[in-house]
Amino acid sequence: MIAIIDYGAGNLKSVKKAFDHLKVNSKVISSAREWSGFDKLVLPGVGAFGAAAQRLNKAGFIELTKEWLIADKPFLGICLGLQLLFESSTESTDIDGLGFFKGKCVRFQQGKVPQIGWNQIQLKKDSKLLDGITENSFFYFLHGYYIQPENEDIITANTEYGITYPSIVSKGNVYAVQFHPEKSGDVGLQLLKNWVEKC
Amino acid sequence: MLATRIIPCLDVDNGRVVKGIKFKELKDAGDPVELGALYNQQGADELTFLDIGASYKSREIMIDVVERVSREVFIPFTVGGGIREVSDMRAILKAGADKVAVCSAAIKNPSLITEGAKIFGSQCIVLSIDAKQYEDTWHAYLNGGRIDPGIDALEWAKKGEELGAGEILLNSMDKDGTREGYDLKLNKTVSEMVNIPVIASGGAGTMEQMFEAIKIGKADAVLLASLLHYGELTIKEIKEYLNNKGVCAR
């Protein structure tokens, strides 16, 4: 069973719909009381870093998610769910992220912000998450901030938008992507399938 | 590299796609879900559905359409037409749309953009502007282009960005339906004025005109309707053409 964390921000149901389409069991959890009976965890997200971190905290998810990550249990962060794994963001300087990865999120200085649309990934290392997915595949991106990890070893793929920035990171069983696989057509569904079956 | 988006636009009335759709591959040309899935297969980067039915009943049916599309088609889609309040936005987004487009209601009540952006995020709010030339500038029209409230479209675009819109859907009323090409001057002016993506709409007749909208008009995306619906061009052909001209298309 996959649990998708719902902390009251945006359209999180599309991740559930993608799993339904793949005929994989998943459930949306919106409070710490529902934290049981699953073996894989998804942290999706749209919106602002600070508001999301606050809502996660209010719903009692911060400590539980940190413990999950430290125990190296299967995890997938999507978009803001990737950014929240880092220590902080210049978007909301008064609030901390989960701090699982060292580094911060900063705003794009070039081009139109937010970046909206399909962009490519350049692979930095092999990953089970990307089985059957080729170099330069397009995924759907929607974000104004990008991550700056301190440890470059966690970078699985990069993307270019005026600058080169990490679009997939991973460590052990923890994976996170900056784009929206649930909105990236067939290639996105393939990535989700890989995560469910292989990661 | 970020690809320039090609976005088919479908007009929906009472749950059916209207305005002549002619496809051999479809069992039923009027079903928005079936047509959305076909455009996805053909390589559409996003979809836009405009609810042109004015009735309350049409709105309720639209919610059901959105729900069905989101279960079948895994690319982003925008829904517009008749969105007047935050509660309308919430209903559409909750049903599974990724973005909502606001037009008349935002002119009448600009705080709708700010409220929507605050609750759902700027990336969810598309400001749709129906622009028509007026002397040496353009005016933003109300009610599907029927009323000119005397608002400068350029100032309105800038204001929309400040209020929190994440994207601008720029419809040229002068070019709409003419197939003479997009309004390049309008597009370029707005695109250089704001720092959010601009979607060019109205006037597409050839692939060269789409290239011009991107190169000269600085459009971040192009919206297409009848050219695709009548099967005169396919998304695949358009993308091959654009790629050959050095535009990044998926």
Side-chain angles (χ1 to χ4, degrees), chain A residues 11 13 17-18 21 46-47 111-120 138 140 142 160-161 182-185 189, chain B residues 1-3 5 45-46 67 70 74-76 94-99 123 166-167 191 195-197 220 248 250:
Chain A
N11 177 17
K13 272 201 327 201
K17 285 171 180 165
H21 183 80
V46 288
K112 295 200 170 179
V113 183
Q115 171 180 212
I116 300 183
W118 298 76
N119 204 334
Q120 293 162 297
F138 281 96
Y140 190 77
L142 182 54
E160 274 177 42
Y161 188 63
E182 77 282 12
K183 285 288 163 184
S184 298
L189 292 171
Chain B
M1 228 180 124
L2 184 69
R5 287 168 287 159
D45 296 305
E46 281 182 30
E67 177 70 41
S70 71
F74 296 94
I75 57 171
K94 212 176 153 212
D98 299 282
K99 314 178 201 179
Q123 81 289 340
E167 237 175 340
S191 193
N195 196 37
I196 53 178
D220 299 285
C248 178
R250 181 171 68 105

Side-chain angles (χ1 to χ4, degrees), chain A residues 101-141:
Chain A
F101 291 129
K102 288 211 177 307
K104 61 176 193 283
C105 311
V106 296
R107 193 175 161 88
F108 284 120
Q109 296 300 323
Q110 300 106 315
K112 295 200 170 179
V113 183
Q115 171 180 212
I116 300 183
W118 298 76
N119 204 334
Q120 293 162 297
I121 56 164
Q122 282 85 44
L123 309 183
K124 293 281 287 176
K125 61 181 180 197
D126 287 338
S127 171
K128 287 179 280 185
L129 190 66
L130 298 169
D131 270 2
I133 295 171
T134 52
E135 173 90 358
N136 291 325
S137 287
F138 281 96
F139 289 89
Y140 190 77
F141 288 80

Side-chain angles (χ1 to χ4, degrees), chain B residues 7 38 52 58 80 132 139 144 150 161 183 192 196 202-203 215 237:
Chain B
I7 309 174
L38 180 73
I52 60 166
S58 181
K132 192 172 169 43
H139 276 180
E161 179 187 21
D183 189 330
E192 286 178 347
I196 53 178
K215 272 288 152 208
E237 278 176 281

Side-chain angles (χ1 to χ4, degrees), chain A residues 64-74 100 173-174:
Chain A
L64 289 169
T65 307
K66 279 186 184 172
E67 284 167 21
W68 186 275
L69 293 164
I70 290 163
D72 194 29
K73 292 185 181 175
F100 179 68
N173 293 312
V174 174

Side-chain angles (χ1 to χ4, degrees), chain A residues 175-194:
Chain A
Y175 294 84
V177 297
Q178 181 60 70
F179 46 82
H180 289 272
E182 77 282 12
K183 285 288 163 184
S184 298
D186 290 343
V187 68
L189 292 171
Q190 179 68 47
L191 184 142
L192 289 175
K193 195 164 181 275
N194 288 345

Side-chain angles (χ1 to χ4, degrees), chain B residues 27-220:
Chain B
K27 289 191 292 289
D28 172 9
D31 180 38
V33 182
E34 202 181 341
L35 196 57
L38 180 73
Y39 281 135
N40 174 32
Q41 267 172 35
Q42 293 183 349
D45 296 305
E46 281 182 30
L47 299 169
T48 292
F49 295 94
L50 289 182
D51 183 10
I52 60 166
S55 70
Y56 182 71
K57 189 168 159 260
S58 181
R59 173 57 33 78
E60 291 207 322
I61 296 168
M62 195 63 194
I63 299 287
D64 176 60
V65 168
V66 170
E67 177 70 41
R68 287 192 296 130
V69 170
S70 71
R71 269 187 267 127
E72 299 289 329
V73 186
F74 296 94
I75 57 171
F77 67 101
T78 304
V79 174
I83 288 169
R84 294 180 186 91
E85 298 168 27
V86 166
S87 61
D88 297 326
M89 293 179 175
R90 180 174 283 118
I92 294 281
L93 294 171
K94 212 176 153 212
D98 299 282
K99 314 178 201 179
V100 288
V102 288
C103 186
S104 302
I107 294 180
K108 290 175 194 161
N109 172 24
S111 68
L112 181 65
I113 300 174
T114 316
E115 282 177 54
K118 210 186 284 170
I119 300 171
F120 310 111
S122 282
Q123 81 289 340
C124 279
I125 313 296
V126 180
L127 175 61
S128 177
I129 301 178
D130 288 341
K132 192 172 169 43
Q133 189 150 17
Y134 180 83
E135 293 173 355
D136 58 351
T137 181
W138 293 267
H139 276 180
Y141 275 59
L142 280 173
N143 296 22
R146 285 187 290 272
I147 299 169
D148 177 6
I151 288 171
D152 187 275
L154 303 178
E155 283 170 23
W156 177 228
K158 191 73 202 149
K159 181 91 184 294
E161 179 187 21
E162 284 162 15
L163 291 169
E167 237 175 340
I168 289 175
L169 171 53
L170 189 57
N171 314 297
S172 163
M173 289 171 56
D174 301 300
K175 298 289 186 178
D176 191 34
T178 64
R179 300 204 168 185
E180 287 171 1
Y182 294 88
D183 189 330
L184 301 178
K185 201 172 152 211
L186 169 68
N187 258 296
K188 184 172 188 286
T189 312
V190 172
S191 193
E192 286 178 347
M193 221 162 103
V194 297
N195 196 37
I196 53 178
V198 176
I199 305 163
S201 164
T206 65
M207 295 193 281
E208 193 182 355
Q209 290 164 355
M210 293 169 214
F211 175 72
E212 286 172 349
I214 297 158
K215 272 288 152 208
I216 303 168
K218 312 275 182 207
D220 299 285

